[in-house]
Amino acid sequence: MKTIYLDHNVISSVGGIPAAKDAAHQRNHAAALRKCGYRFALSAWNIYELARSNDIKHIEQCCDFVDELDPVWVNNNFSVKEQEIDRYLAIEFDRVGPVRSRLVVPFSTTVSDMWSSYGLPSRNRDTFRASVLALHHAPKKMGEIERSANTTPNAILVARRAQQLGTLSFFDSIVDRQYFAALVPKGTPPEQIEFLVKTKKAVLSTSPTIAVEDALTERRLQDSFTPKSNDAADLQHSMTSLAYCDYFVTGDKKLYEHCRTTVKQAGVACQPHKSMLEIDSKSV
């Protein structure tokens, strides 16, 4: 079964207000894709971005469209990266028995299970609609997320200035000893972290979410675009989606170009598209 990730701008333009001119065509095509075996995927960031809307009718219509899609849910990328590292270390260090979990679970079938990947309580009543409306009516939580997102533009600009001043190598990677130390289980021996550092190339080749984060971060650093707060969401929802989905659909031209170059550098098979209509409903 092939998986199609949809960026928020796709959900908004097809299901929301105002709808794109070809919204009905796209909606019918989405139904045809599902009928012939494709599945759709969304993430927590779709919930956050829709919750930001001040138009309750727009929110409800987008939720109706999501209900039609019946998607799977992309799990917390940090959790997925932990699983990738766990699997990689298991091959080298677990000589006797299945000491470590070797499973990488990038998707959940319910919103409540997706929230569990963030370490949040799992409740059966957690649906896309319920989560969007709960966040929409929780300005304090929205403010916390927005304040965190607002740190992203400055972080990108600082890194670019460091490159220009020569204090940061142009090809410096975010994947280093500190990065690995944050992902390994508590109490992991130092020699295992050192092993990750020494074999980083192999880690990237077997850990697609980490490889995508590394490549996408470098691409954003090299580009000359003016960073904005929504670039935080773009990075967060792109990591696991590009790593484990077969298609990534976005109407954002900048994000599309970043994804197009990232998948090549990271060596993942995901195909970025600007519209669902570009995906052949008979190609499964």
Side-chain angles (χ1 to χ4, degrees):
M1 179 179 292
K2 293 190 174 182
T3 305
I4 305 169
Y5 182 81
L6 299 181
D7 195 0
H8 172 67
N9 50 62
V10 179
I11 300 298
S12 179
S13 63
V14 175
I17 304 170
K21 292 181 180 179
D22 62 350
H25 184 26
Q26 289 197 61
R27 208 161 188 149
N28 290 335
H29 190 66
L33 289 168
R34 288 193 64 223
K35 188 174 181 179
C36 70
Y38 288 92
R39 68 178 180 181
F40 290 95
L42 298 178
S43 71
W45 293 97
N46 292 89
I47 293 172
Y48 162 68
E49 292 188 282
L50 183 56
R52 296 171 64 191
S53 173
N54 292 320
D55 187 337
I56 194 64
K57 186 175 181 181
H58 170 76
I59 290 176
E60 290 288 356
Q61 288 188 187
C62 286
C63 288
D64 290 341
F65 179 47
V66 170
D67 287 344
E68 292 176 20
L69 295 174
D70 189 24
V72 293
W73 300 93
V74 179
N75 286 332
N76 178 12
N77 69 75
F78 191 86
S79 173
V80 176
K81 290 184 293 185
E82 286 182 321
Q83 294 169 24
E84 290 177 348
I85 290 295
D86 204 38
R87 178 182 60 185
Y88 182 80
L89 287 175
I91 297 171
E92 180 69 17
F93 294 100
D94 289 342
R95 301 296 188 184
V96 183
V99 179
R100 293 178 181 272
S101 169
R102 287 164 170 78
L103 292 177
V104 175
V105 184
F107 306 114
S108 287
T109 56
T110 66
V111 172
S112 60
D113 286 344
M114 177 196 70
W115 287 134
S116 293
S117 74
Y118 284 84
L120 299 173
S122 177
R123 299 170 296 190
N124 291 333
R125 64 179 181 274
D126 285 330
T127 63
F128 179 77
R129 188 186 305 268
S131 295
V132 169
L133 292 175
L135 193 56
H136 177 75
H137 294 297
K140 185 176 179 180
K141 289 184 179 179
M142 288 292 288
E144 291 173 356
I145 299 172
E146 288 168 1
R147 282 191 293 275
S148 179
N150 287 337
T151 65
T152 294
N154 190 55
I156 295 174
L157 293 174
V158 168
R160 287 178 183 171
R161 286 197 293 270
Q163 283 187 342
Q164 295 167 0
L165 294 172
T167 56
L168 176 67
S169 169
F170 191 72
F171 292 105
D172 267 359
S173 169
I174 61 165
V175 181
D176 55 16
R177 183 176 283 96
Q178 183 178 357
Y179 180 95
F180 287 132
L183 290 174
V184 296
K186 186 177 181 179
T188 296
E191 59 267 25
Q192 294 189 18
I193 299 176
E194 189 62 29
F195 173 74
L196 293 170
V197 176
K198 289 181 178 179
T199 61
K200 186 177 109 172
K201 187 175 181 180
V203 174
L204 293 175
S205 68
T206 58
S207 307
T209 306
I210 296 173
V212 166
E213 181 181 19
D214 188 45
L216 185 54
T217 300
E218 181 182 320
R219 183 71 191 94
R220 284 150 56 110
L221 196 59
Q222 294 178 14
D223 204 343
S224 59
F225 70 95
T226 301
K228 299 178 180 178
S229 61
N230 65 341
D231 290 312
D234 286 345
L235 175 63
Q236 294 299 320
H237 75 74
S238 298
M239 282 187 233
T240 303
S241 303
L242 290 174
Y244 289 97
C245 292
D246 299 282
Y247 304 93
F248 186 103
V249 182
T250 178
D252 184 324
K253 293 181 181 178
K254 179 190 69 180
L255 180 57
Y256 169 79
E257 286 301 323
H258 285 181
C259 289
R260 189 178 61 82
T261 55
T262 292
V263 295
K264 292 180 180 178
Q265 184 174 334
V268 295
C270 185
Q271 300 177 33
H273 286 286
K274 298 176 181 178
S275 169
M276 286 187 290
L277 299 176
E278 297 175 0
I279 302 173
D280 187 356
S281 62
K282 299 178 182 180
S283 66
V284 174

